[in-house]
Amino acid sequence: KSFDFDIREGQRSFVYFEAVNYEAKVYLNGELLGAHEGGFTPFQFEVTGKLKTKDNFIVVKVDNKRKKDGIPTLNSDWWNYGGITRSVHVITVPDLHISDYTIALSKDGKNIEGQVVVDGKLTGDKVFLSIPELKKSIELQPESNGVSRFSFKAKPELWSPEQPKLYKVQIQLGTEKITDHIGFRTIETEGYDILLNGKSVFLKGICIHEEAPYKTGRVTSEEEILTLLGWAKELGCNYIRLAHYPHSEKMVKEAERLGLMIWSEIPVYWTVSFGNELTYALAEQQLEEMIMRDKNRAAVVLWGIANETPLSENRFTFLKKLAEKARSLDSSRLITAALDTQSEKNGSKLIDDPLGDVVDVIGINSYCGWYYGEPSSCSDVKWESLYEKPMIMSEIGGGALAGLHGELNERWTEEYMDDVYKYNLEMIDNISFLRGMTPWILMDFRSARRHLKNIQKDFNRKGLISEQGEKKKAFYRLQEYYKNKN
């Protein structure tokens, strides 16, 4: 795209990409700016001194080819959309500018704390931080490394699904002024309980792919985001799992505004090359980019580090390092992963994956009535766990073509899918340590693995709603369940 630019003294300029899938090489006026690997997290390149007043052009060379050693790897169950999938911005800031900030409620809930980071040559400038509604205003003096840490007593109204309160926060350095809207809350575990603001909460959720309703392609507009989140709210959710990669910043902010807690994850999915150091480096990079982008969003309560990864020593080492990295970047949230391997013990399913000892909350994917067993058998399935930790049923469900009806034993009908939900919900009621669930999935989505003629047609049909917005019978069953679930 060609553009003109107003060049001024005393400013720095950057080109910022919200997401490009998957490998990107960026050129400005014919010169290589840099490269980035990863399809769902933001990156930027500095262009100070490289822009002209007229006829600048940016060229992005994108390759969405999956690689065995990539994150995600070759095999997956969602459509591999390519190209520039989110917005691109040219940003200008003063030479001395605010480069980062972290603002949150302390774990004991008594203080608002965090830090502001400035970049550039320090000349004694001070940072001013204010939260007008709380009548709080503080002055910060950056240290030699540009970091200003702070902590002050405050009693904000706490963010929750019932009252998703956000406070206007202003940070100023010289002529630069940043405004954000931030919620304050605590999230922790105690035994089998998940505590939001010190009170036990059941996470009534649904999984969501970043697939646009009423058309094919990635979600690109606010209208599409609000459609998906509106369906989740209509379902009765207080929580969503954004699968299987970081969704757009706009999706996270709108969910926060609507009072939806979030599980956000990176695409460490299925058979990743766990023994490859470069693969680990890619996973850690994407984890860091996700956390750095959304660390100020109160709605994000869970960082997900993996989904359905097969047991091995390399896998355990890989994921344990990721969990440690996540905690080093952000100790204020819970770490989770979706597991799908269990043992049998005295007729019960036993959660004994060693990763259960690493995460704070255990996610379990289980497709009783769809990939194994008859639907009616699911209510009798019992669960035990080696770990005194809360469990989330991160995936359950079955598939149906919207509008296809028949007998209860006819697969792909809405009746069969509804029966799967009926008995799985009975199973869920019998798991004493269960504290949440995100059935798979809100809406049908494209997948290159799903070829069944006249049924799938390159769509995964496990959505409670079709890609054209048709609600299936199971939607109303889950809606009624959530209505009556405390």
Side-chain angles (χ1 to χ4, degrees), residues 130-149:
S130 66
I131 308 177
E133 194 173 344
L134 292 177
K135 296 181 171 58
K136 295 291 183 180
S137 183
I138 59 173
E139 183 180 289
L140 304 171
Q141 182 67 61
E143 300 173 12
S144 58
N145 60 359
V147 178
S148 303
R149 294 177 177 85

Side-chain angles (χ1 to χ4, degrees), residues 16-24 35-45 71-72 83-87 210 218 244-249 252 264-267 281-294 303:
Y16 178 86
F17 295 85
E18 289 189 37
V20 175
N21 191 28
Y22 172 75
E23 280 189 79
H36 180 268
E37 187 168 349
F40 308 99
T41 46
F43 60 96
Q44 66 185 24
F45 300 114
I71 299 290
I84 300 173
T85 54
R86 297 179 193 154
S87 297
E210 196 176 42
R218 284 263 173 256
H244 282 294
Y245 39 77
H247 290 214
S248 71
E249 186 176 18
V252 174
S264 183
E265 65 188 53
I266 56 173
L282 275 172
E284 186 177 280
Q285 169 204 311
Q286 292 182 42
L287 178 73
E288 184 167 4
E289 289 170 346
M290 174 179 71
I291 290 175
M292 293 302 288
R293 192 194 74 178
D294 290 335
W303 296 128

Side-chain angles (χ1 to χ4, degrees), residues 106 306 334 405:
S106 60
L334 306 175
H405 296 282

